[in-house]
Amino acid sequence: MDKWFTYIDGVWRFKFDTNSYSASREAAKACRFFVEDDEDEQTDDHSQSCFNCLYRRWGLNCFDCYKKVGTS
Amino acid sequence: MKNWLICIDDTDDIGTKGTGEIAEEIAHLLQQEHLKMTEHSGGCLVTRHQLFVHPDIPYTSHNSAMCFQLESHLDFADIKQICVTHLLQESAAASDPGLAILDMSSSYDISALIAFGQSAKETVKTKAQAYQLATEQGIDLTEHGGTGQGVIGALAGLGLRLSGQDGRVKGQFCLGNYNKGADIEFTVADILANTPLQVVLSDSGKILADDERILLTGKVKAVYRQHMFALLVSRHGSAWVNASKQTLKTY
């Protein structure tokens, strides 16, 4: 997962921006913890995308993954 | 009958029922109660209003408030009791729920409320600021567990809904056989006749005429713009196509 995330200040931060759909989809495809969030909170038409995941928390620039934290 | 604007925030946690779903349930319960007094009840669509995401704000994952308008004979005490009972029953244990109720026939400064909502999209607001504005404007603002931090978003959501220019509509819309998978073309008139939507808007804000044709693809979702529930469309070659989730994320 290090291809897509960096460990910063105690959280795993997505390395890309909010328009990086390919990276978000690739990361979700490779992740065994992916769970789709409420449909109204999704921002990618492709369902299996970290942008749509229950365990992402949006921040100022993009999102942090909270499931990955729990498994690190 | 009176019109009420009701907004909730910060009721969920990862893996629990979402704030939007709880708002929809409250709207449904209020409509059911209203129907005990009259035969007519209009639908109340819930709008989702995005607020500021910042490390100093303790939101769960996206920091959005959920708002709906209710037209009803119910009095304030009954409305509030239904809202609070359901919030207490359904909110996540670790959440900090807030509830704001505005009597739209009361005298209030709409500009002040809109300004608070818009500010809450760009800056960190405090509970004290929210309570002060609510008191000044005669809005019932209450907290129902945890830190009660949700009162900030609940009040901000009211302001953003009142602006008429903010938010996505919760849920998706079904038209005839459309949801069977294949893309289908409809006229604007067909769309408006078969959904609760009020207008079809281009991404530049132009209202499309009834005879314009729209190609529906993917999920049909709407936004709240120009004080209306709107299907947002954009030009793809010679066709108008409904907005994707990628496009709607900024609304």
Side-chain angles (χ1 to χ4, degrees):
Chain A
M1 294 299 270
D2 294 350
K3 178 179 172 187
W4 301 287
F5 293 89
T6 311
Y7 193 66
I8 303 173
D9 299 332
V11 295
W12 287 95
R13 185 151 298 158
F14 192 55
K15 288 179 180 177
F16 307 90
D17 65 20
T18 55
N19 291 314
S20 299
Y21 294 99
S22 297
S24 175
R25 293 168 191 177
E26 276 177 24
K29 196 173 177 186
C31 179
R32 65 194 168 99
F33 300 111
F34 173 80
V35 177
E36 235 180 283
D37 195 4
D38 185 332
E39 203 265 331
D40 287 297
E41 301 298 346
Q42 298 183 12
T43 59
D44 188 346
D45 279 307
H46 185 86
S47 300
Q48 192 169 0
S49 167
C50 288
F51 291 160
N52 294 343
C53 183
L54 182 66
Y55 300 112
R56 54 91 177 87
R57 183 177 193 265
W58 292 103
L60 288 171
N61 299 312
C62 205
F63 72 87
D64 298 328
C65 173
Y66 276 73
K67 192 66 176 179
K68 191 168 168 57
V69 168
T71 59
S72 63
Chain B
M1 287 221 280
K2 265 187 172 182
N3 277 297
W4 304 86
L5 208 54
I6 298 168
C7 191
I8 61 172
D9 187 28
D10 213 336
T11 69
D12 61 3
D13 195 7
I14 290 177
T16 69
K17 188 182 283 184
T19 302
E21 192 175 345
I22 294 176
E24 263 184 351
E25 290 171 349
I26 291 172
H28 179 72
L29 289 169
L30 289 167
Q31 284 179 311
Q32 292 298 109
E33 194 64 25
H34 170 77
L35 284 170
K36 291 178 183 171
M37 303 164 72
T38 179
E39 287 184 359
H40 170 75
S41 178
C44 5
L45 294 178
V46 172
T47 48
R48 173 201 185 277
H49 301 276
Q50 180 65 55
L51 305 172
F52 194 35
V53 288
H54 186 277
D56 292 345
I57 301 175
Y59 55 91
T60 306
S61 58
H62 22 70
N63 201 23
S64 57
M66 297 286 176
C67 190
F68 62 91
Q69 185 174 334
L70 173 76
E71 185 182 23
S72 177
H73 290 298
L74 296 175
D75 64 22
F76 171 75
D78 290 336
I79 290 171
K80 183 158 183 186
Q81 186 193 8
I82 289 168
C83 291
V84 172
T85 301
H86 199 69
L87 272 182
L88 292 175
Q89 185 180 307
E90 298 298 331
S91 295
S95 68
D96 308 305
L99 167 69
I101 305 176
L102 168 67
D103 173 353
M104 296 182 78
S105 66
S106 68
S107 172
Y108 59 92
D109 181 351
I110 187 170
S111 300
L113 288 170
I114 292 172
F116 184 85
Q118 288 172 340
S119 178
K121 290 176 85 73
E122 298 168 347
T123 60
V124 179
K125 310 299 285 186
T126 66
K127 277 174 63 175
Q129 290 169 323
Y131 277 124
Q132 183 182 341
L133 180 60
T135 302
E136 288 167 0
Q137 302 304 325
I139 292 167
D140 189 79
L141 184 66
T142 49
E143 51 189 79
H144 301 281
T147 66
Q149 196 81 8
V151 293
I152 301 167
L155 188 66
L158 286 186
L160 291 167
R161 175 73 178 246
L162 286 168
S163 78
Q165 295 285 14
D166 189 273
R168 304 199 291 260
V169 180
K170 176 170 166 45
Q172 52 186 294
F173 300 92
C174 303
L175 283 108
N177 292 327
Y178 170 64
N179 276 352
K180 299 252 163 86
D183 299 350
I184 299 184
E185 208 173 57
F186 286 88
T187 64
V188 167
D190 286 336
I191 291 169
L192 300 185
N194 292 289
T195 67
L197 299 178
Q198 297 165 298
V199 70
V200 176
L201 279 182
S202 75
D203 46 8
S204 64
K206 178 188 156 203
I207 295 177
L208 269 63
D210 280 357
D211 59 353
E212 292 270 17
R213 300 191 73 81
I214 312 294
L215 181 66
L216 294 182
T217 179
K219 291 185 174 163
V220 180
K221 301 187 67 70
V223 296
Y224 194 58
R225 280 293 183 281
Q226 302 183 23
H227 295 273
M228 292 181 283
F229 300 109
L231 178 68
L232 192 72
V233 297
S234 56
R235 273 282 184 201
H236 286 241
S238 61
W240 288 110
V241 178
N242 59 304
S244 65
K245 284 180 183 169
Q246 284 94 316
T247 302
L248 294 174
K249 74 179 179 184
T250 58
Y251 283 77

